[in-house]
Amino acid sequence: MHEMSIALAVVDQVEEAARSHGATGVRTVRLRIGELAGVVPDALAFSFGLACTGTVVEGAELVTETVPGRARCASCDDEWAVGMPPRLICPVCDRATAELVSGRELLIAAVEWHDDPADPRVREPISQEG
Amino acid sequence: MCRVVDLQQAVLAKNDATAEVLRKELAARGTAVVNVLSSPGSGKTALLEGELLLARERGVTAAALTADLATENDAVRLARSGLPVKQVLTDGLCHLEADMLAGHLHGWLAEDTRLVFVENVGNLVCPASYDLGEALRVVLASVTEGEDKPLKYPTAFGLAHLVIVTKTDIAEAVGFDEAAFRANVEQVNPGVDVVLTSARTGAGTGVLLDRALAAAEGTAVHMPVMAQARA
Ligand SMILES: Nc1nc2c(ncn2[C@@H]2O[C@H](COP(=O)(O)OP(=O)(O)OP(=O)(O)O)[C@@H](O)[C@H]2O)c(=O)[nH]1
Ligand SMILES: [Mg+2]
Ligand SMILES: [Zn+2]
Ligand SMILES: [Zn+2]
């Protein structure tokens, strides 16, 4: 089960980001997982709970958004939902000229955290702040 | 105080970056890694035994690395070719990652090695997500596994540069429907080649070696639709 490896990579990156922003706790981690990423969200959620133990990420809620697989045909410009199992041959012209538009994402989209008001870094403006 | 920071970071960014560095380093000296994926028991070791023997006969400098959760059996089998072989025990991990491979190749691989065959852990799910810096990714399915394997493991088959059917000597006995298998492969990976092999009869032996050598020489490999977009 490689979801544990994926979870560790997520925790690692969130920890790094949290540290560089002077955060003292993480409330939510938002992931975007494509249908074709080869990752099972439930297994990942389970592993995530274990992976964040003892880190600044401990106790954070994991929110995953599934990104549907979509493809576009370079010949006829048709765009379709590939489904599962995916159909990557164009349903209109039956040609093998597809490009994948989405579905392979495995991204940490956003992180929500608590700041330590005593940390001077917190007062610096953060450009990506949402 | 609480804030939201938009990260948009790829989870596997580190692995992908390590893989890319390894691929470039090896390509610069004319070396290609062949990443071999399949379910447990599909015949990875048997196929590689044939390819390594042939490589030895033809004087191709090749090496092999085989990853398993336990036992050195596969390395013992592959080492009979007389070529350098290394067994990697993954310590419970169900797949290889790029930094593991880079670590194992470092200081072990002879400078003039053209091909490194990597037998990944027998598993069609986890290894599919990890780029190892390979020039050629091969996915195997034996005739006993059912024609719908490509649909059940679309990420593995969808990212293959080459698909190899193994154990064709028993295809008839198990009623393997080649046309159905090919159609299923085509659905998830349009345009990829499907090669039929048997380690028993020797049918198809050498196809993988030729493709691997071509890749080492810089010949472009098939580009799977699924490999085109990677956020
Ligand atoms: N009939 C037949 N049997 C084969 C062939 N290739 C492999 N086998 C048998 O299939 C079994 C598994 O083969 P291996 O080569 O060990 O398979 P593997 O994929 O390396 O297995 P793991 O490393 O354990 O995942 C063995 O009993 C082999 O003898 C073949 O071409 N024909
Ligand atoms: Mg084996
Ligand atoms: Zn796994
Ligand atoms: Zn079309």
Side-chain angles (χ1 to χ4, degrees), chain B residues 103-173:
Chain B
H104 283 289
L105 294 183
H106 185 78
W108 174 69
L109 202 64
E111 196 60 35
D112 65 346
T113 310
R114 303 295 309 282
L115 304 177
V116 185
F117 291 97
V118 176
E119 178 179 340
N120 218 312
V121 181
N123 171 349
L124 273 181
V125 183
C126 317
S129 294
Y130 292 85
D131 184 355
L132 298 184
E134 68 266 23
L136 190 67
R137 181 181 290 205
V138 188
V139 177
L140 275 50
S142 67
V143 296
T144 60
E145 291 173 54
E147 295 77 13
D148 58 353
K149 229 29 298 212
L151 302 183
K152 286 181 179 159
Y153 298 93
T155 309
F157 284 90
L159 291 171
H161 297 134
L162 180 68
V163 173
I164 295 183
V165 177
T166 59
K167 313 191 191 180
T168 55
D169 55 291
I170 51 171
E172 223 176 271

Side-chain angles (χ1 to χ4, degrees), chain A residues 6-92:
Chain A
I6 306 267
L8 287 167
V10 170
V11 170
D12 205 45
Q13 288 180 45
V14 172
E15 251 195 312
E16 214 171 288
R19 217 177 299 120
S20 74
H21 285 92
T24 54
V26 177
R27 180 174 293 184
T28 317
V29 175
R30 291 181 192 280
L31 300 184
R32 281 168 60 81
I33 303 183
E35 269 183 319
L36 305 173
V39 173
V40 182
D42 282 351
L44 183 58
F46 174 77
S47 301
F48 180 80
L50 301 174
C52 53
T53 310
T55 73
V56 70
V57 192
E58 185 164 355
E61 184 196 0
L62 186 72
V63 180
T64 53
E65 180 200 342
T66 303
V67 184
R70 293 191 69 79
R72 187 191 299 118
C73 175
S75 301
C76 74
D77 225 29
D78 179 48
E79 197 185 303
W80 70 99
V82 301
M84 187 52 78
R87 184 196 152 94
L88 296 174
I89 300 170
C90 177
V92 173

Side-chain angles (χ1 to χ4, degrees), chain A residues 13 88 108-109 111 113 115, chain B residues 3 5 7-9 11 187:
Chain A
Q13 288 180 45
L88 296 174
I108 305 171
V111 179
W113 53 51
D115 291 323
Chain B
R3 61 173 95 209
V5 172
L7 281 181
Q8 302 299 334
Q9 278 179 18
V11 174
Q187 179 180 334

Side-chain angles (χ1 to χ4, degrees), chain B residues 155-227:
Chain B
T155 309
F157 284 90
L159 291 171
H161 297 134
L162 180 68
V163 173
I164 295 183
V165 177
T166 59
K167 313 191 191 180
T168 55
D169 55 291
I170 51 171
E172 223 176 271
V174 298
F176 177 67
D177 184 342
E178 185 190 334
F181 180 80
R182 284 184 183 273
N184 290 338
V185 170
E186 186 69 11
Q187 179 180 334
V188 300
N189 194 345
V192 71
D193 284 341
V194 176
V195 176
L196 305 181
T197 68
S198 163
R200 277 294 141 77
T201 67
T205 304
V207 175
L208 179 56
L209 183 62
D210 289 341
R211 296 294 181 104
L213 283 170
E217 272 150 29
T219 307
V221 296
H222 163 73
M223 175 53 112
V225 172
M226 256 189 230

Side-chain angles (χ1 to χ4, degrees), chain A residues 103-127:
Chain A
R104 291 272 301 141
E105 294 80 358
L106 185 49
L107 279 181
I108 305 171
V111 179
E112 198 182 307
W113 53 51
H114 311 282
D115 291 323
D116 179 356
D119 190 317
R121 281 172 297 189
V122 175
R123 279 177 236 121
E124 290 166 17
I126 296 167
S127 56

